[in-house]
Amino acid sequence: MSEECIRLEFNVDRGNFASAGSASEAVKTQLKLLGINSKDVRRVAVAMYEGEINMVIHADGGTAVVEIYHDRVEIVLADNGPGIADIDLAMKEGYSTAPDEIRSLGFGAGMGLPNMKKNTDEMRVESVVGTGTTIYMTVKLG
Ligand SMILES: Nc1ncnc2c1ncn2[C@@H]1O[C@H](COP(=O)(O)OP(=O)(O)O)[C@@H](O)[C@H]1O
Ligand SMILES: [Mg+2]
């Protein structure tokens, strides 16, 4: 028996700070419409927003696929960016390779990946240097 879900797909444009966060915003709206509790909506939105921003800042943009099931939301963020050489290091609070001009825009505090971890029930980072990064996240609902 296949499980029903609502599937949403987004392109996240590189270097586009104006539209950065639009995918997580759309998912937030959809989850609210479905009557998902605000705590879970917030967890999904925060985790997705940080991942989106990372694809804009650190990669060449990418794609976000979100599947909403009755008991969970599954998010896959994939990019063809530079990859992450040391994932354990990248996951540390405060670690950032963002350049000064990005920091001056208010990004690059090194809290994105730790916040993604904190706001999800499962998170797996797959990355190959020179090829790209794929992040799988699951937020349980209720
Ligand atoms: N999609 C990505 N592609 C390449 N590197 C990434 C990606 N996401 C995160 N990183 C690396 O992990 C570091 C930590 O990410 P994060 O915790 O979000 O902090 P910040 O984005 O503020 O630098 C980044 O500075 C970057 O070096
Ligand atoms: Mg970040």
Side-chain angles (χ1 to χ4, degrees):
M1 196 180 79
S2 73
E3 223 182 334
E4 275 183 52
C5 76
I6 295 172
R7 184 184 162 94
L8 306 168
E9 281 191 54
F10 305 89
N11 283 313
V12 179
D13 296 335
R14 68 183 288 202
N16 191 343
F17 284 101
S19 72
S22 60
S24 53
E25 199 57 44
V27 170
K28 192 175 172 180
T29 301
Q30 180 69 57
L31 292 174
K32 276 188 196 161
L33 283 171
L34 290 168
I36 305 301
N37 72 78
S38 56
K39 182 168 176 276
D40 289 340
V41 172
R42 192 163 355 101
R43 294 172 71 211
V44 170
V46 168
M48 242 195 104
Y49 175 77
E50 293 291 356
E52 252 187 288
I53 293 290
N54 281 351
M55 290 196 285
V56 172
I57 295 176
H58 306 293
D60 300 318
T63 58
V65 176
V66 179
E67 291 184 345
I68 306 167
Y69 294 86
H70 75 282
D71 62 345
R72 68 190 186 282
V73 177
E74 294 188 357
I75 303 158
V76 180
L77 306 173
D79 68 60
N80 300 312
I84 302 171
D86 186 337
I87 294 171
D88 288 340
L89 181 61
M91 293 293 303
K92 292 217 160 76
E93 295 191 359
Y95 176 82
S96 177
T97 59
D100 285 345
E101 69 262 27
I102 297 290
R103 286 167 192 268
S104 70
L105 293 171
F107 300 99
M111 294 304 292
L113 287 170
N115 277 334
M116 290 158 75
K117 177 86 184 168
K118 229 174 261 175
N119 283 281
T120 54
D121 293 289
E122 284 166 38
M123 176 171 161
R124 185 159 52 93
V125 180
E126 286 179 1
S127 194
V128 178
V129 172
T131 299
T133 301
T134 303
I135 300 180
Y136 302 86
M137 298 185 286
T138 301
V139 173
K140 290 181 186 156
L141 301 176

